[in-house]
Amino acid sequence: MKESTYEQFFMPAKSPRAPYGIIDSWPNESLPTKKPKSAAGSHIGLMQVPVSQPDAWNWLQNTQDGVQGVFQNALNTADAFAVGMQTSYAPMPPDLTRCQLEEMALELYGPHPGKVESAQYYAPQCSGKVTDKTTCSVQWQWEINTAKNYCGVCYVAGVRNTAPPGGSTSTCTGTPPSPDPPINLKQCQKKKC
C-alpha cells in the first residue's frame, strides 16, 4: 500500500472514459522517470514490471515477476554492495542479517537508490577508534546511513512505518545502536524526498 497507494490501477469515473465501455479497475501505466530513465508506459501493474501481456492482465503473474525479477535483482545488488564493503574494512564487518539485507534492497528498489557503496542504507561504523579510513581498533558494525542517502532512508522508514499498521521505521532486531526512528519522518516531508 505504501509503495504504490494502488496508483497502478485506475477506475474510470464515467462510462464514456471507460476502455471498451467497461467500468472496472484497469492497469495504469507508469509515468516517465529521469533516474533511471524510462518512458511513460514502460512498466505496468502492482509491481510495475516491464510491460508484457501476462504482467498486464494477471496480477498473480505481475506479483511473481516483480518479486522474482525486480526485487530479487535489488536483493542481489544489495548483497554485492554489502560484500564489497565488507572486504574493504578491517576487521571485516559481520554479514548483514536477512532483514538488514531486505531493508538495503528496499532502499535500492525505491525512488532514491544509493548508486555507490557509501550511499547504501547500511554503512559500517567503527565501534572503537578508526586508525585509517578502513581500519577499526575494535569492530565495524552496520548502522543506518542517514549521512549519505537521507532520502533513501526516508523511503525505507516510510514503508516500514506503514506496514504492518503501526510498524516501526526498522523491523530489524539487533541492528546496532541507531535511533528508532532513524530519521524524523516529518523532516523527510520537508526535504520533499
Side-chain angles (χ1 to χ4, degrees):
M1 177 68 173
K2 170 65 180 175
E3 165 58 29
S4 66
T5 60
Y6 298 115
E7 291 178 7
Q8 288 87 339
F9 300 94
F10 73 97
M11 176 77 72
K14 296 183 179 182
S15 187
R17 287 194 63 225
Y20 309 105
I22 299 170
I23 299 175
D24 206 342
S25 290
W26 286 87
N28 205 9
E29 64 182 31
S30 60
L31 297 174
T33 60
K34 292 181 181 178
K35 293 182 181 179
K37 188 172 175 81
S38 69
S42 62
H43 293 75
I44 197 162
L46 190 60
M47 295 294 289
Q48 289 291 283
V49 296
V51 173
S52 71
Q53 286 292 329
D55 287 324
W57 299 107
N58 184 332
W59 70 270
L60 291 172
Q61 184 68 46
N62 187 280
T63 303
Q64 181 179 355
D65 288 349
V67 170
Q68 292 177 352
V70 177
F71 196 70
Q72 187 60 52
N73 286 341
L75 279 171
N76 293 343
T77 302
D79 188 50
F81 274 130
V83 169
M85 285 188 279
Q86 280 182 302
T87 58
S88 301
Y89 291 88
M92 195 162 54
D95 290 339
L96 287 172
T97 67
R98 286 177 146 185
C99 187
Q100 290 171 321
L101 191 60
E102 180 182 301
E103 288 189 329
M104 204 159 149
L106 182 58
E107 180 264 332
L108 288 166
Y109 176 77
H112 307 285
K115 300 292 186 188
V116 295
E117 287 180 357
S118 63
Q120 296 308 301
Y121 185 76
Y122 283 100
Q125 296 295 318
C126 181
S127 60
K129 184 179 179 183
V130 179
T131 56
D132 65 42
K133 290 183 179 181
T134 59
T135 305
C136 181
S137 63
V138 181
Q139 179 65 45
W140 291 100
Q141 297 177 340
W142 295 106
E143 289 196 16
I144 296 171
N145 186 6
T146 56
K148 297 285 185 172
N149 189 353
Y150 195 84
C151 287
V153 173
C154 285
Y155 175 76
V156 174
V159 170
R160 292 296 198 196
N161 193 46
T162 58
S168 168
T169 53
S170 175
T171 58
C172 296
T173 56
T175 299
S178 291
D180 188 25
I183 42 83
N184 181 329
L185 291 173
K186 289 182 181 177
Q187 287 178 331
C188 294
Q189 293 167 349
K190 287 180 185 176
K191 285 194 172 218
K192 298 184 180 175
C193 291

